Amino acid sequence: MIRKTRLFTPGPTPLLPAAQFAMAAADLHHRTAEFRAMYTRVLAQLKEFVGSKSDVIVLSSSGTGAMEASVSNLTSPGDRVLVLSAGKFGERWSALAKAFGCQVDLVSAPYGGTFSLDEVRAALKLETRAVFMQATETSTGVRHCVPGVAALLKELKSEAVLVVDAITGLGTTHIDMDAWGIDVLIGGSQKAVMIPPGLSYLAVSDRAWERMEATYNPRYYFDLRKERKNAKNGESAYTPSVSLIAGLGAALDYIAAQGGGDLAKGRAMLVENAETISAMTRAAVLALGCTLFAPDAPSAAATAVLPPKGVDSGVFVKELKSRFGAIITNGQGEMKGQIFRIAHLGFFDYLDTISLIGALEQVVHSSAELKVAVPGFKFGDALIAAQKVFAERKADEAAQNKCLCGRSSACCSMQHSAAK
Ligand SMILES: *Cc1c(COP(=O)(O)O)cnc(C)c1O
């Protein structure tokens, strides 16, 4: 068999062909009218994609650059900040805040879990200046309740700005920055927007822009106020990643076209797409004797899977790659060998999902180790489970009996329905 390499990884994700062509054609200088027209258009599209009235800033960096910019621009040394962490990316917030001299209070949940709002309430102090969290923690496949945390900050009339790493949350989970009161919402190019790594973007609220007037942590390349000033003239402060910006424009055109020309509708379809194929994947892996690593609040960005007892997760990673060219990811750090992760964000569809599930069945069938671990295995079990999920899924299922954060469990007692 020949192998076609396909990425099922939570960043980088598969590339949109139209974006690749746009990138290849983007041979232009960044201090020209041509670039200014393109950049201005992409920034406006991005604002619609993010779904906020706030200015969106684009940085030529991976996602962590925008995380660092949020810390360096919004805090001063000695500031008390709260980090909500349940995995590797939550830990990155702590490390970043410490690197910029903040005093970090931490609410953490075991890997695979999420924190309760009561814990967040107990950890918030009068002097907390910022709260940092993920919308979806990619290392464990869990979804956090962003609207719950936002509502809590409002209820307590907290001075803290809420910074949300939605790098895998944007385009996979419903987020309403302005209505909920998020101050900074961060995205990255190699995730749901279907282009290569190298761009990060952040929507910044008025409150956060005001905060920046008084903070004094060091910043230079990632000076958001400088970028904002330049963006108003259609430019970036330094040489931007021109080709990626062209690719982003093409990707946002594609997403808008999916929504009949409406980017907000296209984003909602992208979210529903991820919700559907993640639900198919969850049903399929359960039918293969696996269990979910984050069963209570699974994210639609990526599914983290515990293999059958006694089996190293690397078996799935290795077999899928060597036999079918399908690239999934192992666990990060100490989770290596314990879980494997399958991504659903961006340019994945029904056919990609069904194919991968078919390949997973082949892996279970042909591995002696897995055959012993899954004694009742029959071809078709996982495919049937996924097919049923797809066929029985109602168009607006995502909105039914769910918290606004998208979780099916009643994750918090906030009146999310009021904001609907
Ligand atoms: C991918 C990702 C990031 C950013 O990582 P980079 O390698 O810097 O792009 C941050 N947070 C989450 C949740 C991610 O999935």
Side-chain angles (χ1 to χ4, degrees):
M1 295 288 294
I2 62 161
R3 281 172 301 166
K4 283 169 74 169
T5 299
R6 291 177 173 86
L7 296 182
F8 290 90
T9 48
T13 61
L15 302 178
L16 179 77
Q20 290 179 285
F21 295 133
M23 286 188 284
D27 187 9
L28 68 165
H29 192 270
H30 58 287
R31 305 289 178 210
T32 58
E34 289 79 5
F35 178 79
R36 284 191 286 273
M38 176 176 87
Y39 197 44
T40 303
R41 179 166 176 269
V42 170
L43 288 173
Q45 284 178 305
L46 210 42
K47 217 160 140 161
E48 273 183 67
F49 177 71
V50 171
S52 170
K53 289 196 293 289
S54 303
D55 284 333
V56 179
I57 301 298
V58 171
L59 302 171
S60 290
S61 75
S62 83
T64 307
M67 293 173 75
E68 172 161 335
S70 321
V71 173
S72 65
N73 284 260
L74 288 168
T75 66
S76 302
D79 273 3
R80 192 131 203 178
V81 305
L82 177 62
V83 170
L84 312 179
S85 172
K88 292 291 161 198
F89 291 102
E91 288 158 22
R92 190 168 296 178
W93 275 134
S94 287
L96 267 166
K98 283 178 189 158
F100 283 90
C102 297
Q103 293 182 60
V104 177
D105 292 315
L106 185 67
V107 169
S108 63
Y111 289 175
T114 180
F115 28 80
S116 80
L117 290 176
D118 290 336
E119 292 171 279
V120 180
R121 184 188 290 273
L124 270 167
K125 306 207 159 40
L126 219 52
E127 62 271 33
T128 305
R129 299 291 286 162
V131 175
F132 297 100
M133 70 183 296
Q134 269 68 39
T136 50
E137 169 57 70
T138 320
S139 66
T140 66
V142 83
R143 180 181 337 226
H144 297 316
C145 186
V146 177
V149 173
L152 183 62
L153 291 174
K154 266 192 190 166
E155 179 202 320
L156 300 176
K157 299 194 167 51
S158 172
E159 296 269 295
V161 286
L162 176 58
V163 180
V164 179
D165 162 5
I167 294 175
T168 53
L170 271 163
T172 68
T173 192
H174 170 64
I175 298 176
D176 193 337
M177 172 165 177
D178 299 349
W180 298 354
I182 298 169
D183 292 293
V184 176
L185 189 64
I186 304 172
S189 59
Q190 80 275 36
K191 311 283 176 142
V193 289
M194 316 170 185
I195 62 170
L199 288 183
S200 61
Y201 52 95
L202 1 50
V204 182
S205 74
D206 289 341
R207 204 162 79 113
W209 287 118
E210 277 162 34
R211 174 69 57 90
M212 281 179 230
E213 302 295 330
T215 55
Y216 51 90
N217 247 323
R219 65 203 77 147
Y220 187 84
Y221 184 71
F222 291 136
D223 186 334
L224 294 176
R225 288 192 299 159
K226 194 159 55 187
E227 281 299 341
R228 184 193 203 189
K229 220 191 234 164
N230 280 277
K232 288 225 186 320
N233 303 321
E235 292 196 8
S236 170
Y238 310 102
T239 312
S241 188
V242 174
S243 54
L244 285 172
I245 291 165
L248 181 57
L252 293 171
D253 284 344
Y254 168 79
I255 295 168
Q258 296 292 307
D262 179 340
L263 247 175
K265 235 186 234 163
R267 180 194 56 230
M269 285 180 67
L270 200 57
V271 171
E272 178 51 24
N273 183 73
E275 295 280 12
T276 301
I277 63 180
S278 64
M280 288 169 70
T281 304
R282 289 194 294 273
V285 295
L286 290 174
L288 291 177
C290 299
T291 45
L292 301 174
F293 190 56
D296 297 332
S299 90
T303 299
V305 185
L306 285 158
K309 263 208 165 49
V311 178
D312 190 295
S313 62
V315 172
F316 284 93
V317 180
K318 216 172 115 218
E319 291 289 307
L320 285 172
K321 178 167 194 279
S322 64
R323 296 185 57 207
F324 301 105
I327 315 295
I328 62 167
T329 40
N330 209 316
Q332 280 173 254
E334 58 271 46
M335 287 172 277
K336 184 159 189 221
Q338 296 181 24
I339 58 172
F340 61 88
R341 293 172 299 149
I342 299 170
H344 319 294
L345 66 175
F347 199 45
F348 291 109
D349 66 0
Y350 166 87
L351 288 177
D352 296 322
T353 309
I354 284 291
S355 310
L356 184 71
I357 293 167
L360 281 169
E361 287 192 348
Q362 291 292 349
V363 170
V364 173
H365 172 74
S366 62
S367 148
E369 194 184 352
L370 275 163
K371 246 192 181 147
V372 174
V374 194
F377 169 77
K378 287 192 312 301
F379 270 130
D381 288 350
L383 285 164
I384 289 169
Q387 293 281 33
K388 281 190 175 153
V389 167
F390 184 83
E392 288 159 15
R393 199 173 163 84
K394 310 280 182 299
D396 60 348
E397 186 169 326
Q400 289 170 6
N401 301 321
K402 282 191 175 178
C403 173
L404 267 192
C405 72
R407 280 153 58 173
S408 49
S409 53
C411 58
C412 64
S413 53
M414 300 292 159
Q415 290 98 42
H416 295 343
S417 51
K420 267 186 189 174

